[in-house]
Amino acid sequence: MRGRFTDQSGLFSYIAPDKRVPANHPLRKVRELVRDVLSDLNRSLGRLYPNEGRPSIPPERLLSALLLQVCIRSERQLMEQLDYNLLYRWFVGLSPDDPVWDPTTFTKNRERLQNGDVFTKFMTKLLNHSQVKSLLSDEHFSVDGTLIEAWTSKSFRPKDGSGNDDDGANFHGQKRKNDTHASTSDPDSRLYRKAAGCEAKLCYMGHATMENRHGLAVAGRVTHANGIAERRASETMLKARRKAAGCRITAGEDKAYDTADHVANLRAINVTPHVTQNQAVTKTGKNRNSAIDERTARHPGYGMSQSRRAMVECIFGWGKQHGTMRKTKHRGIARVAADFLLNLIAYNLIRIPKLLAV
């Protein structure tokens, strides 16, 4: 018999949002990990808020929503999704009747977490989780960097204020350098060209450290884009990893890191540099001398590091395809760094449940 059609007959629903999410849905394990980490951060989050005044957005919901925003373009689109998407409401912790937040209020509250280094603490707690720690290697790592296009206009004006009549559209025949020019909308961005023949863009440089066992990101930094930023950031991050490990560690890197000073700096901090040998032919027709000799390259561990090093590209590939690494929506190096770290956390949260299920 044909069923009777009644358009939106039910006024009330007595089914909890948790019951509507399939038992094998991938967000279930992600939500469980996020809740465990947030419970460990409870005291740190409490110190960011005064004891009096109007209640703000709970930081637990705010952080959960920020993780969702990695795959959503803007705060306004995130609020729109939270308004009608029961799956997202369940993940964040909103009941079906709770109102969503104003996008401007959401942005202001995010600044509080950013200034309190909550994202860095979240990353540390996640990696020290009882189920996650056993997945990580504490001796073998890889480091690489990527360009993040800045969210800025094309106005790249002289720092001394000259040329104000030029709208920045026609600069044929002019020499523009970071020493003499700066962006008017995002002064922290730098003009950088990835390779010869490529277009120079205003951008930042993001750096990630990956452990070699399962390819999870364990550290991240954002710096100004310049020729030495990758090597200096690598030395800073690896020094912290070596100190945490308490023993000598290895670091796989591509040929852009093959310089004598960088290799010497790594060895000085008790890090074995498994850097790809750069023996390319120079403009004069001679082969370039690599800073990595057979003392390092002859060991089997060198080849293993080189094969595992390529996995770091998966982190950047996911961040640029699904996340916000390709072109940031923020201005200022602090905000870009916070967003970059959120991308690394989101990548880990997607990978960890799959690794635990094996």
Side-chain angles (χ1 to χ4, degrees), residues 5-287:
F5 172 71
T6 305
D7 195 8
Q8 297 181 354
S9 60
L11 179 60
F12 300 103
S13 175
Y14 299 97
I15 302 176
D18 183 73
K19 300 297 183 182
R20 295 185 178 274
V21 181
N24 59 348
H25 197 283
L27 274 183
R28 280 195 174 274
K29 188 59 181 179
V30 173
R31 187 177 187 268
E32 180 184 334
L33 287 170
V34 171
R35 292 297 185 271
D36 289 344
V37 174
L38 289 176
S39 64
D40 293 338
L41 287 175
N42 184 51
R43 299 183 68 178
S44 297
L45 294 174
R47 287 193 287 266
L48 299 177
Y49 296 84
N51 296 327
E52 299 178 351
R54 186 177 61 181
S56 64
I57 300 175
E60 294 83 0
R61 292 180 177 175
L62 183 61
L63 261 171
S64 300
L66 285 172
L67 291 173
L68 290 177
Q69 194 191 346
V70 171
C71 300
I72 301 176
R73 290 181 178 272
S74 66
E75 287 86 353
R76 295 188 181 278
Q77 288 191 1
L78 176 63
M79 295 304 108
E80 179 183 345
Q81 288 280 343
L82 285 176
D83 196 23
Y84 61 78
N85 194 321
L86 285 178
L87 177 64
Y88 288 175
R89 279 181 171 267
W90 166 81
F91 182 83
V92 172
L94 291 171
S95 71
D97 296 330
D98 286 336
V100 297
W101 312 295
D102 183 85
T104 304
T105 304
F106 183 82
T107 302
K108 293 295 183 182
N109 280 266
R110 182 187 60 198
E111 297 288 335
R112 188 196 304 270
L113 300 185
Q114 174 188 314
N115 296 334
D117 292 331
V118 173
F119 304 145
T120 303
K121 296 176 182 177
F122 188 98
M123 180 80 149
T124 303
K125 291 290 185 180
L126 176 63
L127 297 176
N128 289 325
H129 191 278
S130 58
Q131 299 182 50
V132 179
K133 196 170 184 180
S134 60
L135 300 174
L136 308 178
S137 171
D138 55 0
E139 296 181 3
H140 306 290
F141 302 92
S142 296
V143 180
D144 203 357
T146 188
L147 292 179
I148 305 172
E149 190 175 347
W151 186 258
T152 177
S153 64
K154 295 183 179 179
S155 56
F156 196 55
R157 306 290 183 83
K159 294 181 179 180
D160 57 8
S162 61
N164 289 331
D165 294 336
D166 184 10
D167 61 357
N170 183 13
F171 51 90
H172 183 71
Q174 301 179 18
K175 288 187 177 180
R176 298 196 168 195
K177 297 183 178 180
N178 291 315
D179 295 335
T180 57
H181 291 68
S183 170
T184 57
S185 53
D186 188 2
D188 285 345
S189 61
R190 296 291 184 269
L191 194 66
Y192 192 83
R193 185 173 60 181
K194 186 175 182 179
C198 295
E199 176 187 3
K201 296 181 179 180
L202 288 167
C203 53
Y204 294 90
M205 190 168 284
H207 316 271
T209 301
M210 179 196 74
E211 56 83 29
N212 284 357
R213 180 174 296 170
H214 288 107
L216 297 176
V218 296
R221 287 171 58 88
V222 169
T223 63
H224 298 297
N226 57 59
I228 63 173
E230 284 188 305
R231 298 188 289 274
R232 299 293 87 84
S234 171
E235 294 163 11
T236 301
M237 292 189 294
L238 289 174
K239 185 176 182 179
R241 301 313 305 178
R242 206 282 313 164
K243 184 176 180 180
C247 60
R248 176 175 287 273
I249 63 175
T250 66
E253 298 172 328
D254 61 29
K255 62 177 63 178
Y257 296 83
D258 186 12
T259 62
D261 63 328
H262 176 63
V263 171
N265 290 339
L266 291 186
R267 286 174 174 157
I269 60 176
N270 213 20
V271 176
T272 301
H274 287 173
V275 182
T276 303
Q277 293 177 309
N278 186 4
Q279 297 174 332
V281 179
T282 63
K283 294 181 179 179
T284 59
K286 297 181 179 180
N287 288 332

Side-chain angles (χ1 to χ4, degrees), residues 277 292-300 302-303:
Q277 293 177 309
I292 301 296
D293 53 26
E294 290 303 315
R295 292 179 302 169
T296 301
R298 66 180 178 178
H299 296 287
Y302 177 81

